[in-house]
Amino acid sequence: MSPQESAVAPAPTAESRTDEELARGLVAGDEDCLAAAYRRWSSLVHTLAWRSLGDAREAEDVTQQVFLGVWRGRGGFRPERGSFGGWITGITRRKIADALTARTRRLAVIASAGSSLALADPAARQPEAALDRVIVLHELAKLPAAQQRVLRLAFYEDLTHLQIAERTGWPLGTVKSHARRGLCRLRGSLQPDMGG
């Protein structure tokens, strides 16, 4: 067999495929097509999410959720209903809306906490309150150490201001001050971007 006979034209890479070919490959379960779709569309998805949410980390989360949705929902893509890019953009809009809804829910949790650390109240021990505390964990991690410590003791150990003061050795006024400032920062970090 001569080298010319054994030379076979290389198979087209996922990168060189048209959107329609990528969509067909994706529907067939070709992970290379998912990777190519991610490389082709993730920048747009991230930009849309970042502009809507105003937060780079949330935009990254939304981008991952979109492409997870693309993979899981690949059987639902119908080219007769619109383009592949349009389908991905539609998923992006839904995931952004989900992120905004989750943000609103987190704001409601923080607002209900109030400056008196109402989450330390025994009523907050109900099952849905436990879920609310988990949602707040991500934002708590961004706070300065002292504020974070006070709020963690209140949220996760259900301690009162006085108990936190005893545990930390800090004056009661300092504990209240850290709690108030921490809650204000949490509210501020969860506010939707009003600038457009």
Side-chain angles (χ1 to χ4, degrees):
M1 182 183 274
S2 72
Q4 289 83 9
E5 292 172 331
S6 65
V8 176
T13 64
E15 300 299 327
S16 66
R17 296 181 189 174
T18 65
D19 286 350
E20 293 75 23
E21 291 168 332
L22 276 182
R24 280 195 300 274
L26 189 68
V27 170
D30 184 344
E31 291 181 18
D32 288 339
C33 289
L34 175 64
Y38 180 84
R39 286 188 289 275
R40 188 173 295 176
W41 293 98
S42 63
S43 178
L44 172 66
V45 168
H46 186 273
T47 299
L48 291 172
W50 185 82
R51 285 182 181 166
S52 297
L53 300 168
D55 182 278
R57 278 186 279 186
E58 274 189 294
E60 288 168 15
D61 290 344
V62 165
T63 302
Q64 290 176 1
Q65 289 299 314
V66 166
F67 286 94
L68 184 61
V70 165
W71 181 251
R72 288 181 176 163
R74 65 189 182 274
F77 173 68
R78 299 288 179 266
E80 63 274 8
R81 293 186 193 160
S83 71
F84 186 54
W87 181 65
I88 291 175
T89 302
I91 293 171
T92 302
R93 287 189 183 120
R94 288 190 294 278
K95 296 299 181 184
I96 289 170
D98 291 347
L100 289 170
T101 300
R103 179 187 286 177
T104 301
R105 184 163 188 256
R106 289 190 306 264
L107 277 171
V109 169
I110 298 301
S112 72
S115 62
S116 64
L117 288 175
L119 288 178
D121 184 45
R125 294 188 186 118
Q126 298 168 356
E128 61 274 5
L131 175 61
D132 291 341
R133 287 193 300 261
V134 170
I135 292 170
V136 173
L137 179 62
H138 177 71
E139 294 302 322
L140 276 175
K142 298 177 186 176
L143 295 177
Q147 293 171 15
Q148 191 177 140
R149 184 171 184 203
V150 168
L151 293 180
R152 283 180 186 273
L153 289 170
F155 278 107
Y156 295 101
E157 295 188 32
D158 292 329
L159 298 182
T160 65
H161 286 148
L162 187 56
Q163 291 168 326
I164 293 169
E166 289 170 0
R167 170 89 57 96
T168 61
W170 296 334
L172 183 59
T174 301
V175 169
K176 289 181 179 181
S177 217
H178 285 317
R180 188 171 29 262
R181 277 185 259 143
L183 286 169
C184 286
R185 281 183 176 220
L186 283 174
R187 284 189 197 105
S189 70
L190 294 171
Q191 288 293 333
D193 180 21
M194 300 307 223

